[in-house]
Amino acid sequence: MAGLTEREAQARLRSEGENALAEGKQTGAMKIFLGQFRDFMVMILLAGAVIAALLGEITDAVTIILIVLLNAILGFVQEYRTERTLEALRDMTAPKANVFRDGEWKKIPARFLVCGDLIKVEAGDNVPADCAVTVSHGLAVQESLLTGESEPVEKSAQTPMPSSNKLHQKGVIYAGTGVLRGSGEGVIIAAGLNTQMGQISESLTDIEDAMTPLQKRLAGLGKVVGLLCIGVCIVVFLTGVLRGEPFFDMLMTGITIAIAAIPEGLPATVTIALALAVSRMRQHNALVNRLHSVETLGCANVICSDKTGTITENKMTVTELRIPGENYTVTENGVQKGKEFISLSGNTALSELLQCGILCSTATEKEGDPTETAIIHAAVSAGLHVDRIRAKYPRVSVIPFDSDKKYMKVRVRTGNGEKIYIKGAADILLKMCGKCLLGGNETALTADIAADIERAVALMSSKALRVLGFAYGESEEELVFTGLCGMEDPPREAAKAAIRICSHARIRTVMITGDHPETASAIAKKAGIMRASHVLTGQQIDKMSDRELAQEADRYGVFARVSPAHKLRLVRAFQAGGNVVAMTGDGVNDAPAIKAADVGVAMGKCGTDVARQAADVVLLDDNFETLVSAVEQGRCVYSNIRKFVRYLLSCNIGEVASMFLGILVGMPAPLLPVQILLVNLVTDGLPAIALGLEPPEPEDMYSPPRKKEEGFFSGGLMQKIGLRGILIGLCTLGSFTMGLKLEGSLAAARTAALCTLILSQLVHVFECKSETKGLFRIRYTNNMKLLGAVLMSLAALIAAVQIPVMQVIFGTVTLSIQSWISAIAYSVAVPVCSSLLLFRRKSQ
C-alpha cells in the first residue's frame, strides 16, 4: 500500500470531517457570562433592584445592577480562563498516530486521519481508527472495550482485504482498542463517528466534568453555611421591621447579607485553584489528566518508581563485554582485552554477540531506545558496519521486547535459510539455551559454564551495570548463548536530591525494575533509596499470598525482576497497609497497576498510549524529580485551598456577625445594603483567587503527608474561622460605635464601619498566607498577585469614601483623621495581637 498524499488527505478531511468522537457541547464565552446570572441569590438581588426602581430608588437600583454586573465580569474572566486551561489540557492529552503520507512515515494528531490512510501500530499504542490489517508481526489487541472478551485477539492480513468494519473480524483492528503485543500496519476503513467506538457512544470526552471529592465536601459545607445565613438574615429582617425600620431597607439588608455571606462560589473557586495548579504543573513537565489527582498527590506517602530513565539518566554506555571464558572493556576507541585493543577478525563469539545486538534492534547510533543505541555504538566502535550487516541479514519477523518474557527475538534471512537472534535478561536466556560459544566453537552449556556466567552476571550487576544476554540459533530449541553485555546508567543527580526531599517529606521511595537484583540494589544505594539492600524479586513475590505480600512489602526498598502483574500486586499490597501509592509505568501491561494506584503516573517520552491514558499524571520528561515536584504542587494546592476557604468563611461570618449583632442589640443597621455589596465585591473576588496562587511553602515538604481520610478542617481550622469571623464582626461594631461618638453622624459611623470591615479582611488575607506564622514572620513579596489584588481593593475603598460621586452611590461621607485612625486601629488590633502572641510563642 502506498498510502495517501497530503493533498488527498486534506481533501478527504474537508469532506469527511475529523476522526473524533462527538464531544460535549463547547462552553462558549457568552454562555459562561450568562451563567453568572443563573445563581439563585443573584436573581433575588436583581429582583431587589427592580423593586427599588419601582419604589423610585433609582440610585440604589442602578448601583445594585452595576455591582452585579461587575461581579459577573470578574466571575466570567476567571471561569473563562479555567475553561481555556482545561481545553488546552484536552488538546495536550489527545493521541497521535503514525501515518504514511507523501512516501514517508510521520506522526500526526489522530483526529486528522482519514479513510484510506495507511497507519502503523505497535505494542502499547491505542488504535486510532477502524483499519483493515495489511501487515502483522505477531499483532494482538485487547478488544474487551467493544466485545467484553478479556482474552487478547490475534490479528493478521486477510485476502480479500475487509471493506466493512463489523465486529469480530480477524483482519480488522478497531478504534480505541489497545495493542498488547507485536506490530502491524493497516488501511483506515472507518473514522470518527463511523467507527465501532463512534457508533457505541457519541458522548465520550477526554476530560471528566464530575466534581472532585473536595468540591463535593465544600459544596455540602456551603449548603449548611447558606442555610444558617438565611436563618440569620430572616432574623435580621424581622427584628428590624419589628423595631420600626423601613420594610424595603430591611428586605434589601437581609438579601444583601445573604448574598455576601453564602459561600456559593466555593466549589467554583476550588476548580479555578485546581486548574491554575494544573497549568503550573504543566510548566514543570507534569501533565495532569484528572483534576482530582492534584488533591490526591498531596496525600502520597509511597512512590513506586521505575529505575531506567526515571531515577537514572537513561544514557546507556556499554562498558563491558563477556563471552564464556573471556572479558573485554569497551571504550570510545574500540574493544580492549586488558590494555590491548583487539580485532574482531577471528573472534567468532564476540562478533556473533555484537552482530546479535545489531540485528536484534531497530536503533541507530543517534536514534532509538537508549539501550539499543548503546549496543550499536559499541558495535561500531569495535569496527562493525551496521547497515551492511542489516542488509546482509534482512529481517523476516520480529517479536518486540515484552516485560513478561523479558527478551526480544528477530528472525532473519541468511544465505542458507533463516536464523533467530535473541537479546534479553541473561538469567532468562540461560534457561533457554542448550549450547554456548566457547573458543569460537559451539559446545554444550554445562552446569559449570552456566554457573560461571551467573557469577559474571552477579559481579557486573554489583557494579550497577545493566546486564543483557545474547543468543542465536536455527530455532528456539537450538539456541546458542554467545555472551553478556554490561552497560552503566548512573542515577541522576537531580533524582538523588528529589529522593532526599521525599525522605524529609516522610514519603517512602521504592524502586521497581525488571533488572537483575544486584544491579537494582547497587543503583538504589547510589540514588539514596532507603532499605536498598533489601531486595524482593518477582520469583519470591510469586511464592507469597496477597496477605503475606502486604505484611512484607514495607521491609523492602527494591523490587527486582518484576513483571507488570507483580506491579499490580505491589500497589494493592502497599494500599492494604494504609498507604497512598503513586505508581509509575510506561508499558501497555503497566496500565492495570497505574489505574489501581491512588495516583497513576505514566512516562511521556517512552510511555505507551495505553499507559498515558490510564494515568492521572504524565511525566513529559520521564524524570523522578518531576514527580516529586508534582507531589509538592499537590501539597501546595491543597494548602492554598485551605487558605482561601479560611479567608472566605472568616470574612463572610464577620459580615453576618456585624449586621446580626448590631441589630440584635438595638443599633441602627451598621451598614447599608449597597455597602455590603461593595464589601463583597472588593474582598471576596480577587484576594481569594490570588491567595490560591501562593507558591509552595518550604515547610510543605518537611512535614508528613496528610491522611487521605483527614477532614478538610482538621488542625482546628474551623475554630480559627469561627473565632476570627466573630472578631471581625465585633471590631466592625466597635468602629461603628466609635464613629457615632466621634462624628455624631449615622452616615459617618457607617462609613467608619465599612472601612474597618474591608480593612480587617484585607489584613486577614495576609494572616491566611500561613497557618503557623503571624504577620511578622510571613513573606509578603512571594505572591505579587496577592499584593496587587489587595491594593486594587484598597483603591476601591478609598474611591468609595473620598470621591463625591461614589459617596452618593454608596452612602459614604469623608471621614475625619480621628475616624480614620479609629477605623484602622480596629482593623489591625486583633491580627497584630495574635501575631505578637505567635511570634512570642515561636521565640520561646
Side-chain angles (χ1 to χ4, degrees):
M1 294 293 294
L4 302 176
T5 65
E6 198 64 51
R7 180 177 291 182
E8 288 172 331
Q10 291 302 321
R12 293 191 187 188
L13 187 64
R14 285 191 293 272
S15 62
E16 298 172 8
E18 291 188 352
N19 174 42
L21 301 178
E23 294 184 356
K25 292 182 180 178
Q26 295 292 311
T27 308
M30 184 56 70
K31 187 176 180 180
I32 293 174
F33 181 70
L34 294 176
Q36 308 301 313
F37 300 96
R38 287 203 195 97
D39 185 78
F40 179 67
M41 300 309 295
V42 173
M43 291 179 181
I44 291 177
L45 197 57
L46 290 173
V50 172
I51 294 170
L54 293 174
L55 293 176
E57 302 288 344
I58 302 300
T59 302
D60 282 350
V62 171
T63 303
I64 292 169
I65 290 171
L66 286 175
I67 289 177
V68 168
L69 191 61
L70 191 53
N71 243 329
I73 291 170
L74 289 173
F76 163 77
V77 169
Q78 291 298 337
E79 195 172 328
Y80 183 78
R81 285 178 60 192
T82 301
E83 188 70 26
R84 295 293 80 82
T85 299
L86 296 179
E87 199 171 279
L89 173 63
R90 184 160 44 234
D91 290 340
M92 281 187 280
T93 55
K96 289 183 167 52
N98 275 313
V99 63
F100 193 78
R101 286 187 184 169
D102 292 330
E104 63 178 358
W105 289 103
K106 54 181 73 173
K107 206 156 198 174
I108 66 170
R111 68 177 185 273
F112 296 141
L113 295 173
V114 295
C115 287
D117 264 328
L118 178 65
I119 64 151
K120 180 164 58 177
V121 293
E122 57 187 24
D125 289 347
N126 270 336
V127 179
D130 291 358
C131 305
V133 178
T134 58
V135 176
S136 172
H137 296 299
L139 183 63
V141 298
Q142 177 64 270
E143 292 185 350
S144 59
L145 191 66
L146 293 173
T147 65
E149 297 174 6
S150 58
E151 291 299 312
V153 181
E154 303 284 345
K155 297 290 181 178
S156 60
Q158 301 292 299
T159 304
M161 189 173 77
S163 57
S164 162
N165 69 329
K166 65 182 181 182
L167 285 173
H168 305 293
Q169 295 188 81
K170 191 175 181 64
V172 177
I173 51 177
Y174 301 97
T177 60
V179 180
L180 289 180
R181 59 176 179 266
S183 61
E185 298 173 13
V187 176
I188 296 177
I189 55 177
L193 294 177
N194 294 321
T195 63
Q196 285 292 335
M197 181 68 76
Q199 292 169 28
I200 290 172
S201 172
E202 295 188 4
S203 60
L204 292 178
T205 56
D206 292 327
I207 304 297
E208 298 176 350
D209 294 322
M211 293 176 79
T212 74
L214 181 56
Q215 282 177 295
K216 289 176 183 175
R217 289 201 297 272
L218 292 179
L221 170 72
K223 288 176 183 176
V224 172
V225 174
L227 289 172
L228 290 173
C229 289
I230 288 172
V232 171
C233 294
I234 291 171
V235 171
V236 169
F237 167 71
L238 293 175
T239 304
V241 170
L242 291 174
R243 279 183 35 222
E245 298 281 352
F247 179 88
F248 174 74
D249 286 355
M250 294 315 300
L251 175 65
M252 290 305 298
T253 298
I255 290 172
T256 48
I257 290 174
I259 294 294
I262 296 175
E264 73 284 343
L266 277 183
T269 311
V270 171
T271 302
I272 292 168
L274 290 174
L276 291 172
V278 165
S279 180
R280 196 161 57 236
M281 290 164 76
R282 170 66 183 82
Q283 294 169 9
H284 289 83
N285 287 319
L287 180 60
V288 178
N289 281 341
R290 297 168 184 83
L291 280 182
H292 72 78
S293 60
V294 180
E295 299 172 28
T296 314
L297 269 169
C299 301
N301 67 331
V302 174
I303 296 178
C304 299
S305 175
D306 282 330
K307 177 183 74 69
T308 305
T310 307
I311 289 176
T312 63
E313 292 182 357
N314 205 18
K315 293 179 181 176
M316 298 286 188
T317 305
V318 175
T319 59
E320 290 187 32
L321 296 172
R322 292 185 179 234
I323 58 176
E326 296 182 54
N327 305 333
Y328 302 91
T329 56
V330 181
T331 68
E332 288 288 330
N333 300 318
V335 178
Q336 293 178 240
K337 186 174 183 180
K339 295 185 178 181
E340 294 182 7
F341 286 97
I342 58 103
S343 169
L344 294 184
S345 177
N347 195 326
T348 307
L350 195 56
S351 296
E352 282 286 359
L353 187 155
L354 292 172
Q355 186 168 285
C356 179
I358 292 172
L359 295 173
C360 214
S361 162
T362 57
T364 66
E365 270 196 279
K366 296 182 179 179
E367 291 184 350
D369 177 79
T371 300
E372 294 186 350
T373 301
I375 296 170
I376 296 294
H377 187 76
V380 170
S381 69
L384 294 179
H385 296 276
V386 176
D387 293 337
R388 288 183 195 172
I389 290 173
R390 285 176 175 170
K392 185 178 178 180
Y393 302 103
R395 183 181 295 174
V396 176
S397 65
V398 58
I399 296 180
F401 178 85
D402 183 279
S403 52
D404 287 321
K405 297 192 301 285
K406 299 193 186 306
Y407 64 80
M408 175 184 182
K409 179 175 73 174
V410 296
R411 183 179 292 276
V412 300
R413 192 173 293 112
T414 67
N416 301 322
E418 293 183 352
K419 194 172 182 179
I420 292 172
Y421 284 99
I422 298 181
K423 80 167 190 293
D427 49 346
I428 302 294
L429 261 62
L430 272 176
K431 295 173 185 175
M432 298 169 64
C433 295
K435 296 180 179 180
C436 69
L437 272 179
L438 189 62
N441 300 311
E442 293 183 8
T443 185
L445 181 60
T446 64
D448 288 341
I449 295 173
D452 285 341
I453 294 172
E454 286 171 352
R455 280 192 290 272
V457 170
L459 178 63
M460 294 166 77
S461 298
S462 67
K463 294 188 283 186
L465 296 182
R466 186 181 186 192
V467 184
L468 289 180
F470 298 84
Y472 71 89
E474 301 299 323
S475 68
E476 284 194 38
E477 291 74 33
E478 300 175 339
L479 289 177
V480 180
F481 190 84
T482 57
L484 304 170
C485 164
M487 56 191 78
E488 63 179 3
D489 181 20
R492 300 173 188 272
E493 289 302 319
K496 293 180 185 179
I499 290 169
R500 283 196 298 272
I501 291 171
C502 284
S503 180
H504 292 311
R506 315 293 199 279
I507 299 171
R508 189 173 158 217
T509 305
V510 298
M511 180 191 287
I512 297 181
T513 178
D515 272 350
H516 190 279
E518 294 281 354
T519 305
S521 179
I523 290 288
K525 286 174 184 174
K526 287 185 178 181
I529 290 176
M530 293 178 63
R531 302 173 193 157
S533 49
H534 293 76
V535 184
L536 190 67
T537 65
Q539 198 171 16
Q540 291 169 314
I541 291 173
D542 286 333
K543 295 175 182 177
M544 292 181 172
S545 67
D546 289 341
R547 185 176 179 181
E548 287 171 332
L549 184 58
Q551 291 171 341
E552 295 292 316
D554 280 334
R555 293 180 50 217
Y556 297 93
V558 177
F559 299 89
R561 282 287 187 254
V562 297
S563 68
H566 295 137
K567 279 190 173 185
L568 180 58
R569 288 192 65 197
L570 285 169
V571 167
R572 290 173 174 163
F574 280 117
Q575 288 173 331
N579 297 295
V580 177
V581 183
M583 168 66 80
T584 69
D586 53 16
V588 59
N589 294 327
D590 289 334
I594 290 173
K595 216 163 184 61
D598 298 283
V599 183
V601 183
M603 303 297 119
K605 283 184 177 179
C606 66
T608 59
D609 288 345
V610 174
R612 283 195 293 266
Q613 292 183 15
D616 300 301
V617 179
V618 178
L619 305 183
L620 298 178
D621 56 4
D622 294 3
N623 292 350
F624 182 79
E625 55 268 31
T626 301
L627 175 55
V628 176
S629 173
V631 171
E632 182 180 22
Q633 290 294 333
R635 289 190 177 191
C636 173
V637 73
Y638 193 85
S639 173
N640 286 351
I641 291 171
R642 276 175 62 100
K643 289 172 185 176
F644 68 63
V645 168
R646 173 189 174 188
Y647 170 71
L648 284 174
L649 291 184
S650 296
C651 295
N652 289 355
I653 291 171
E655 292 163 24
V656 173
S658 60
M659 294 297 292
F660 178 63
L661 295 175
I663 290 175
L664 204 63
V665 298
M667 291 181 177
L671 295 168
L672 295 172
V674 72
Q675 291 172 342
I676 298 173
L677 290 177
L678 176 64
V679 173
N680 198 39
L681 177 68
V682 301
T683 63
D684 277 11
L686 293 178
I689 297 298
L691 199 55
L693 296 173
E694 282 287 297
E697 295 184 67
E699 54 265 34
D700 282 349
M701 293 300 279
Y702 281 86
S703 56
R706 72 179 192 278
K707 304 279 187 206
K708 197 174 183 183
E709 66 278 3
E710 181 178 289
F712 182 77
F713 294 95
S714 63
L717 185 61
M718 186 52 87
Q719 292 92 315
K720 288 180 186 176
I721 289 169
L723 179 62
R724 194 69 181 86
I726 291 169
L727 289 173
I728 287 173
L730 291 174
C731 287
T732 301
L733 285 178
S735 181
F736 177 75
T737 305
M738 186 61 70
L740 284 173
K741 289 181 181 178
L742 291 173
E743 303 282 355
S745 157
L746 183 58
R750 282 174 172 162
T751 303
L754 174 68
C755 291
T756 296
L757 185 56
I758 290 177
L759 290 174
S760 294
Q761 296 185 23
L762 295 183
V763 172
H764 184 53
V765 77
F766 292 107
E767 284 186 289
C768 294
K769 279 171 69 75
S770 173
E771 294 187 36
T772 58
K773 299 174 185 174
L775 292 175
F776 301 114
R777 297 183 67 237
I778 60 169
R779 288 183 60 195
Y780 289 90
T781 56
N782 64 345
N783 185 356
M784 298 307 292
K785 288 185 175 66
L786 180 59
L787 285 176
V790 168
L791 289 174
M792 288 174 67
S793 298
L794 192 59
L797 171 63
I798 293 170
V801 173
Q802 297 296 126
I803 298 174
V805 174
M806 305 296 275
Q807 289 177 338
V808 173
I809 294 172
F810 292 107
T812 58
V813 295
T814 303
L815 292 178
S816 65
I817 296 296
Q818 292 94 328
S819 292
W820 268 113
I821 292 172
S822 171
I824 293 170
Y826 274 108
S827 303
V828 301
V830 173
V832 167
C833 289
S834 63
S835 296
L836 282 171
L837 285 172
L838 267 175
F839 184 76
R840 185 178 176 186
R841 198 177 301 156
K842 291 286 182 184
S843 300
Q844 288 176 345

